Amino acid sequence: MNWIYSLFICTISLSATPLSHEMSVKKYFVVWNVGQGQWTSLINPIECWHYDMGGEFFAWSKINKFCGQKTNRVSLSHWDWDHIGGLRKASKYLKNLCLNDAPLGNSTPGKMKLLPAHVCIAGEKKWKWQPTLNPKAGSNEQSQVFITDGFLLPGDSTQKEEPQWAKALPKTERIRVLILGHHGSRTSTSDFLLSRIPKLKLAVASARWRRYHHPHAQVLASLQKHKIPILRTEDWGSLWFEL
């Protein structure tokens, strides 16, 4: 089941799934229910901007319905399959697919062939943080971090990297929703990070507790300590935020 959450300064309200005519005039941020993985989309009347395209399963019919004929920008945090695996079939459902942000460094030939062939033309500028390229670092440590429309998307960036980019976050009072790093693993979402986002209203876990035990109990305790409620796609399905 899909739900929409309308974001306000102090409240988050629940409403119905958007109708097709609403999509022609409104703007939404969607956290797709993909099981353990991440695929989020910023959808407006003329384009869809996808931040990672991975997971265990995909809502292809809905993604095609709302984004199929639009320009589709792709920004990828890192090379892990649960963040890029949807690219294997994306061109079948999404037209005008272009690469806005590639993962850092190189990967296996099979993964690199998945990247959209076309580079996006300049669009609305979004905040991005890149770690220093380190061929010896693991994929998670090389995650890029994005901010768009009040949503913070850390990919699988770890607690070791969090202080580096948390100190550089722009206008932290505008960050309202955190997509939990590494799907709520205890290797991400430190107390330091949460303390740097004083106006955070909500955390979202794109994960499967039943199989992977994410979000981890340690992360849930940290969120409770900072009085941050959490929504799980495992419980609610795809989450639609009206902007």
Side-chain angles (χ1 to χ4, degrees):
M1 183 177 294
N2 294 334
W3 301 93
I4 301 177
Y5 288 81
S6 298
L7 294 183
F8 300 99
I9 292 178
C10 296
T11 63
I12 299 174
S13 63
L14 187 67
S15 60
T17 302
L19 301 175
S20 296
H21 72 272
E22 291 177 334
M23 297 300 296
S24 65
V25 295
K26 294 184 178 180
K27 185 178 182 181
Y28 297 92
F29 186 88
V30 186
V31 184
W32 299 102
N33 179 26
V34 294
Q36 183 84 1
Q38 182 175 303
W39 185 337
T40 65
S41 302
L42 182 64
I43 303 176
N44 66 38
I46 62 173
E47 71 176 16
C48 294
W49 197 321
H50 307 283
Y51 292 90
D52 286 340
M53 298 176 74
E56 298 173 294
F57 47 82
F58 307 102
W60 287 121
S61 61
K62 291 187 179 296
I63 293 169
N64 178 60
K65 177 180 179 180
F66 296 119
C67 297
Q69 301 304 314
K70 298 178 180 179
T71 296
N72 284 275
R73 296 175 176 270
V74 180
S75 292
L76 302 171
S77 61
H78 63 301
W79 286 108
D80 283 3
W81 278 116
D82 57 351
H83 289 254
I84 70 168
L87 285 167
R88 284 179 288 193
K89 292 186 177 180
S91 60
K92 178 180 177 181
Y93 298 94
L94 302 175
K95 309 300 181 184
N96 305 314
L97 198 65
C98 66
L99 183 62
N100 207 89
D101 298 283
L104 293 183
N106 296 321
S107 187
T108 63
K111 287 184 176 181
M112 295 185 70
K113 286 181 180 179
L114 295 178
L115 299 185
H118 301 290
V119 176
C120 301
I121 60 174
E124 183 181 354
K125 191 173 182 180
K126 306 290 185 180
W127 187 87
K128 176 178 69 174
W129 177 85
Q130 292 180 305
T132 301
L133 182 60
N134 180 1
K136 295 183 179 181
S139 180
N140 291 344
E141 287 75 23
Q142 292 291 284
S143 285
Q144 300 180 103
V145 179
F146 301 99
I147 296 177
T148 181
D149 294 76
F151 291 78
L152 175 58
L153 304 142
D156 284 354
S157 187
T158 67
Q159 291 191 19
K160 181 180 178 180
E161 281 70 45
E162 284 177 353
Q164 300 176 46
W165 53 263
K167 293 177 182 178
L169 290 174
K171 298 180 179 179
T172 55
E173 72 276 4
R174 295 186 181 179
I175 297 174
R176 292 292 189 267
V177 180
L178 169 65
I179 309 301
L180 288 178
H182 204 177
H183 323 293
S185 166
R186 63 180 176 180
T187 61
S188 301
T189 316
S190 62
D191 278 334
F192 178 84
L193 172 60
L194 294 176
S195 69
R196 298 287 298 187
I197 321 172
K199 301 298 183 179
L200 189 65
K201 299 298 181 184
L202 180 68
V204 174
S206 181
R208 280 209 295 152
W209 187 90
R210 291 175 181 86
R211 181 172 182 180
Y212 300 99
H213 286 188
H214 288 167
H216 193 275
Q218 182 175 307
V219 174
L220 294 175
S222 293
L223 292 172
Q224 184 176 27
K225 173 184 174 182
H226 290 268
K227 300 181 179 179
I228 305 300
I230 184 172
L231 290 178
R232 314 169 196 233
T233 55
E234 184 176 30
D235 298 330
W236 293 92
S238 298
L239 302 171
W240 290 74
F241 295 86
E242 182 177 337
L243 305 178

